[in-house]
Each structure stands twice: as structure tokens, then as C-alpha cells.
Amino acid sequence: MSSAIFKHLSTLKKCLFPLFEVRKYDSRSLSYILENHDISLNEAYLRTKQKYETKKLPLDVNPKAVFACNELDLKEVKVYGFDYDYTLAVYKPSMDLLLYDLGKDCLVSKFKYPKSIAEMKYLPNFAIRGLHYDIEKGLLMKLDSFLQIQLGTVYRGLTPISDSEVLKLYKNKTIPLAYVENQGKNSQYFSSKMIQLADLFSVPEMCLLCNVAEYFERHNIDYHPEILFRDVKTSVGSSHPIMHKIVQKDVAQYLESNPGIREWFQKLRKADKKLFLVTNSPYQFVNTGMQLMVGKDWEDFFDVIIVKARKPLFFTDESRPLRIYDKNLDTHLWDKVTHLHKGVIYYEGTVSQLQDLTGWTGGEVLYFGDHPYSDLADVTLEHGWRTGAIIQELTHEINTLNKESFKKNCNWLQMLTQLIEECQDIDEPGAKDTLEKWMIERDVLRQDIKNIFNEQFGSVFRTYHNPTYFSRRLFRFADIYTSSITNLLHHSVDHVFYPRRGVMPHEYSSYFV
């Protein structure tokens, strides 16, 4: 429960009754006061509403801020590492459409899916990052940090599944951990019954998956959900080399210029920081994008460049040798790598080799990526690196949070929820009907707050009550997170990021007085 709610309860009690001395008695709840001071539920509601209308709205959040999950002192950071896709490279919506169309074409041409599927359009606002797909049941859904299904966000194809059907299928709102999590350190992709689609490349993949499932459902075509999932994933994945070539021919059509990167790199080099790049993308693709964003001399900023790293295997494999990539021949060489040289492009390898050959270890390394698992988890848990997550959705989410109508709805939702909680045991005529009306109003508010982010699935970061499962992993594996890598340009290389102290439920009474 947030500090805003605790503060609200104090103001709510002041609003509802003039007998302030009741605050001396911790055991006396609002329900006790209502029962003993002849204040009706309707009057309590009206006075709460009046208080809400005069309640000061929260200040706006800066969309370009850097948010800390863990204290991070940049003075201790000597080495800055980067992923490329969706970290340094910011793609336009045309990239999603390209991946969707390429995957769709592959399904029809290679896997012989019905030709009518080729007519299905991309739905850019259907899915969000961080959703889970039940491979066995063919359902796309959103889970919270407690592995609870957010009812109202479960879809078969493009069709929402009723709450009663969801409970019938799963017997419970909470999904067992073994059903969700991959088991074992090196287990990959399909070892659990659910897969989380946690990077932005997966958004067009989710749309294609649901479009095809909807087609099958509407045409009464029998299909196996797991086979469909694998075919779609293979189709989109195998389309990446084609995508790379298309983007290289007209990079400005697909990639934002992302101004500020060069200036930040210059700032880091001036402060004598080391820079490295570890990406899964091929060199020619990265080179085209970096020339657009940074300049033709972009390689000069980096001490080490590794392409086709095959993350997360780069962070988990124990033996996979680094190889030298020949830019002129567009191939990798067989020479044994015993030293890392600036200006040389490397291929594959492991994080252990990178650390052994550079001496860069532990908290002196700060690595930025967009994927909380394949980019950040292992380097945090196994190697002690500091980590930064680049979450582009923050811009949309924060702009939504800053809307006056959203702030008002959130204030009223908190105050109404507190009123319901405190009055639910009141014994007076008509109390049950009154509380039921309040609950209906509360449900409408919750739905409105969800839909303003995304009509199907709501916010990337929270369900109705709790952080999403995606947020849980993000907050666990990222020391800091922000919407764009260039937001770091606003901070000095000696800046300290401090996490905000939140109020825990058991701290209520100490903050209430």
C-alpha cells in the first residue's frame, strides 16, 4: 500500500468527523466512528467526494528522468557497456510492420498456412511487452508480480476470454511458478508451459500469433496452439536476416536518428571511461545504424565491439570462443583470440572471456540493455555488473500518468477504495446495497485507468493493484531504468542515483501519526 493511501486515510478521518481526538485511539477504525457518531454511509461518501474535489493533484513526472531501483554511484563505474537493438537503436513503427509482414509471408510460403492470412493487417495497438503466452492452451495474458492472472486481459486470438472460463481452465487466479518459469540455469525458450514475450521485437510477433489464432477460430479450423506458437516464432525469427538487409538499404525509414548519443559518448570518453558493445545483431546492420546515429567514426568510441553474441548464451555459456570478424570479407576468421584490440570486430564468445581479456569485472561495469532477462539478469546475478534498462514504453506511460484526468481518477480510486475498506463491516439498513454501488463505481474506475494505457492489456508496468511480472523482473535486475539512453546526458559522470524510500504496509502506524 502506498504512502499516498496512508496520507489519504488521515485526511479522510478528518473529513468525515470533527472529533479529531479519536486519532488517539489506534484501535478505533472508521467503521467504529460511523457506528457511534450517527454518520450515514451516504454522508460519508459525500464528504469523501468533497475532499477528493479539493485534493491537490500529484506533480508531473519527467518523461526523461532516470529512475533508480538500487543506489548507483557513477563515480564507481569505469566501464560502460551497451546492447544495440532498442537500447542505442530506437526503431520507428515501420520496423514492427516490417517484421509482422515478413513473418506472415513466411507462414504462408514456408509453412503453407492459408493464403487468406496474407490479408490480415498488423494491429499496432493490440499487444504490449511483457505478456505471457500459454503454449499449451493458446492464451495470451498478463500476470502480476504474484503470478496472478489479471482478469480481463486473457485473449484467445483477438477475442477476450471471460473470467469464468479463465477460472475454469486454471482452477485459480494464481499460476504455479513451475508453470511460468524456465527450470534450470541453461534451460531455453520452451522448457516451461508459458513463455514471456519480454522484448519489443516480440510485439509484432504477438500480433501475428493472435491474428492467425483468430483466423482459425473464426473459420472453425482445428489447430494445435503449441505448433502455431513455434511456427510463428520460427517465421519471425528466420525473417530477421531479411529484415537486416531491407533496413540497411534505407535505414532512415526504420531507425530514429536519436540525437545526443554522440555527445554522450564524447562526454564519457573525456572522463576516461571505457566503452564496449555486445549485440546479437550482425556487424553490417549495426554499422549502418550507428553511422546514422553517431557518425562514420562511431567505432572509435568503443574499446571492444562484439557482434552476433547470441545472448543470453553469451552470458551463460562457459565455452564458446571469441572469433575475429573480417569486415571486408564479411566472415569470421579462425585465429585464436588472446587479446582484445580496439578497432577489431569480434564475433560470439562469452562474458567470461570478455572479463578475462579486459580485466573489467564487478561493479565497475555498467551495462545497458532493453531486455531485463537476456541482457541484465545474468550479469547482475552471476557477475555483479551494474545494470541500466532502456524501456521505451516509459514515454507513453509517463505522458499518460501526467494527464489531469488520469490523476483525478487515481485520487478518487484511492479514496473510494479506502472508504469501502473502512465501511465494509458497517451494520446499518441498506449498507450492503450501498457498498455494492461503490464497488461497481470502483470497478468502472479501474477499467478506465487500465484502458487509457492499452485497451486490451493496460499498462506495461502494473495490473489493477500490483506491479506486473515484467515490472518485478525489471526492478530486480536493473539498478536504474529510463526511456532513452540519451537521458543520461543530463547527469554528470559522478552522479549518484538514489532509490526513493517507499512506505511498507507494516510501517503504516508510524507514518500515520
Side-chain angles (χ1 to χ4, degrees), residues 197-213:
L197 304 164
D199 63 20
L200 286 173
F201 277 134
S202 68
V203 173
E205 179 183 312
M206 284 184 268
C207 183
L208 180 59
L209 179 67
C210 290
N211 260 339
V212 177

Side-chain angles (χ1 to χ4, degrees), residues 74-86:
L74 293 185
K75 289 193 296 294
E76 299 175 355
V77 176
K78 304 294 187 290
V79 184
Y80 285 74
F82 306 92
D83 179 33
Y84 176 72
D85 295 299
Y86 291 107

Side-chain angles (χ1 to χ4, degrees), residues 44 47 306 435 458 485:
R47 293 189 184 184
I306 300 174
L435 285 165
I485 198 77

Side-chain angles (χ1 to χ4, degrees), residues 40-90:
S40 69
L41 289 177
N42 288 333
E43 187 176 358
Y45 176 90
L46 291 174
R47 293 189 184 184
T48 305
K49 192 76 170 182
Q50 289 172 355
K51 183 62 180 179
Y52 147 74
E53 290 171 351
T54 61
K55 185 176 176 65
K56 188 177 180 180
L57 296 179
L59 297 175
D60 281 357
V61 179
N62 180 5
K64 295 184 177 181
V66 179
F67 304 96
C69 303
N70 189 23
E71 187 172 319
L72 175 62
D73 186 349
L74 293 185
K75 289 193 296 294
E76 299 175 355
V77 176
K78 304 294 187 290
V79 184
Y80 285 74
F82 306 92
D83 179 33
Y84 176 72
D85 295 299
Y86 291 107
T87 300
L88 296 177
V90 179

Side-chain angles (χ1 to χ4, degrees), residues 82 261-269 275 301-302:
F82 306 92
I261 290 184
R262 183 181 182 89
E263 183 181 353
W264 190 46
F265 285 172
Q266 290 173 333
K267 183 177 181 179
L268 294 177
R269 296 302 304 193
L275 275 66
F301 289 102
F302 291 90

Side-chain angles (χ1 to χ4, degrees), residues 82-86 88-89 91 95 201 240 243-245 247-249 251 255 261 265 276-299 302 304-309 311 325 327 330 345-346:
F82 306 92
D83 179 33
Y84 176 72
D85 295 299
Y86 291 107
L88 296 177
Y91 294 108
M95 174 63 87
F201 277 134
H240 275 237
M243 175 270 287
H244 291 149
K245 292 179 181 179
V247 172
Q248 284 172 224
K249 291 179 181 178
V251 64
L255 188 65
I261 290 184
F265 285 172
F276 70 92
L277 178 70
V278 176
T279 174
N280 286 351
S281 292
Y283 171 77
Q284 298 297 343
F285 177 72
V286 173
N287 181 49
T288 305
M290 291 297 282
Q291 285 190 18
L292 173 69
M293 295 184 293
V294 181
K296 292 186 177 181
D297 60 344
W298 70 271
E299 292 179 28
F302 291 90
V304 177
I305 299 172
I306 300 174
V307 300
K308 299 288 283 186
K311 294 178 293 180
Y325 172 79
K327 292 184 283 187
D330 190 23
I345 308 300
Y346 297 95

Side-chain angles (χ1 to χ4, degrees), residues 175-214:
I175 305 296
L177 180 63
Y179 199 93
V180 176
E181 291 277 10
N182 289 333
Q183 301 300 306
K185 178 180 176 181
N186 294 314
S187 58
Q188 294 296 316
Y189 304 114
F190 309 121
S191 57
S192 63
K193 296 182 180 181
M194 278 191 173
I195 188 78
Q196 188 178 24
L197 304 164
D199 63 20
L200 286 173
F201 277 134
S202 68
V203 173
E205 179 183 312
M206 284 184 268
C207 183
L208 180 59
L209 179 67
C210 290
N211 260 339
V212 177
E214 184 71 14

